Amino acid sequence: MMLSLDGIEAGYGGLRVLHGLSLEVAAGELVALVGANGAGKSTTLRVASGLLRPSAGRVVFDGEELTGLPGHAVVRRGLVQVPEGRALFGPLTVAENLAMGAFHTGEPADRVLELFPRLAERLDQRADTMSGGEQQMLAIGRALMTRPRLLMLDEPSVGLAPLMVRAVFDALGRIRESGVAILLVEQNAAQALALADRAYVLENGVITLSGTDLAGDERVRRAYLGL
Ligand code: ATP
């Protein structure tokens, strides 16, 4: 396994959110993590990306224990999160935002611009004047510039128009084809499950279901797909 979270307990102050959570992502795999509001999906990504230190459990990436390492050290190893709410450098241009992502890698932007032609057309536009969908593409593009081996995304489709949701999900499929593994947190369970190789359901801080065909699971259909 490329990434393993094993027995993770984590929370905020006195609030315990994750209660012994374990999940894995293999090299090249696209894994979806679905669950209701407040189940702990974002908290899971924060633990994996080194932004939140778990009180118990281990984060292992490529055979190396990363538990408790700071976020920048985790990014250097190729485990990279696209933050929720984009967190772009608003006054900077598209090109400048991409260059920030390449700070440590010197990665050229060609691949990202091929993946998102819209960005190629807007290189000199200020990031904060881009539409929501364009900003999401830029946030994903900037993360790719760090040359990740596993990319984690927190609700990339939130607030986007249906066409933009399609564009973002298409891009995730192509990123996987290029050999980058993906851990995708989504409210939009139907589309996430359709794209994923495998998925986990998180409820109240523990994994309650996992498998390759959760869209066919009766409990998932009722609780998360509204069927
Ligand atoms: P959503 O889909 O609504 O974002 P989620 O599954 O991602 O939900 P988390 O964001 O991980 O859930 O939050 C889990 C719990 O932790 C929630 O009860 C939330 O209020 C709480 N929480 C999250 N961040 C903090 C924080 N910085 N300080 C205190 N409590 C927090």
Side-chain angles (χ1 to χ4, degrees):
M1 282 296 161
M2 182 173 237
L3 173 69
S4 306
L5 304 189
D6 183 20
I8 299 291
E9 315 255 342
Y12 307 93
L15 175 70
R16 290 246 321 264
V17 175
L18 302 180
H19 308 279
L21 171 136
S22 298
L23 65 77
E24 297 183 319
V25 182
E29 204 178 27
L30 196 161
V31 172
L33 178 62
V34 301
N37 279 330
K41 303 181 299 295
S42 301
T43 302
T44 301
L45 293 193
R46 267 180 224 130
V47 168
S49 56
L51 298 177
L52 181 66
R53 187 187 260 277
S55 54
R58 285 159 35 97
V59 179
V60 177
F61 184 64
D62 255 349
E64 182 188 6
E65 177 156 6
L66 302 190
T67 326
L69 279 187
H72 62 85
V74 173
V75 170
R76 294 277 192 107
R77 284 164 174 77
L79 180 56
V80 177
Q81 179 171 359
V82 179
E84 193 174 15
R86 335 291 188 227
L88 294 167
F89 303 104
L92 300 189
T93 64
V94 168
E96 288 164 341
N97 270 277
L98 292 176
M100 297 292 239
F103 185 66
H104 288 297
T105 58
E107 178 85 352
D110 314 19
R111 222 183 90 204
V112 168
L113 298 180
E114 202 178 299
L115 190 64
F116 297 117
R118 180 71 64 102
L119 298 182
E121 296 160 11
R122 308 290 179 98
L123 282 174
D124 295 324
Q125 187 172 331
R126 271 175 66 132
D128 57 9
T129 65
M130 306 275 279
S131 77
E134 290 164 352
Q135 291 192 24
Q136 184 58 253
M137 291 174 186
L138 180 53
I140 295 171
R142 192 182 60 182
L144 287 173
M145 298 294 284
T146 67
R147 218 182 278 148
R149 302 186 48 236
L150 195 162
L151 193 64
M152 300 186 284
L153 300 102
D154 197 343
E155 313 257 3
S157 77
V158 74
L160 302 189
L163 265 180
M164 280 295 183
V165 174
R166 266 255 304 279
V168 166
F169 275 74
D170 282 355
L172 296 183
R174 277 180 288 144
I175 292 167
R176 166 182 51 190
E177 278 159 30
S178 76
V180 178
I182 295 178
L183 177 57
L184 172 64
V185 161
E186 262 299 337
Q187 289 276 335
N188 189 341
Q191 267 163 305
L193 294 179
L195 181 67
D197 301 306
R198 216 155 52 73
Y200 292 95
V201 173
L202 181 62
E203 287 176 349
N204 300 316
V206 293
I207 299 293
T208 50
L209 276 175
S210 68
T212 53
D213 181 28
L214 290 193
D217 184 285
E218 198 48 42
R219 288 161 292 179
V220 172
R221 292 166 68 80
R222 256 183 281 125
Y224 299 102
L225 303 178
L227 300 170

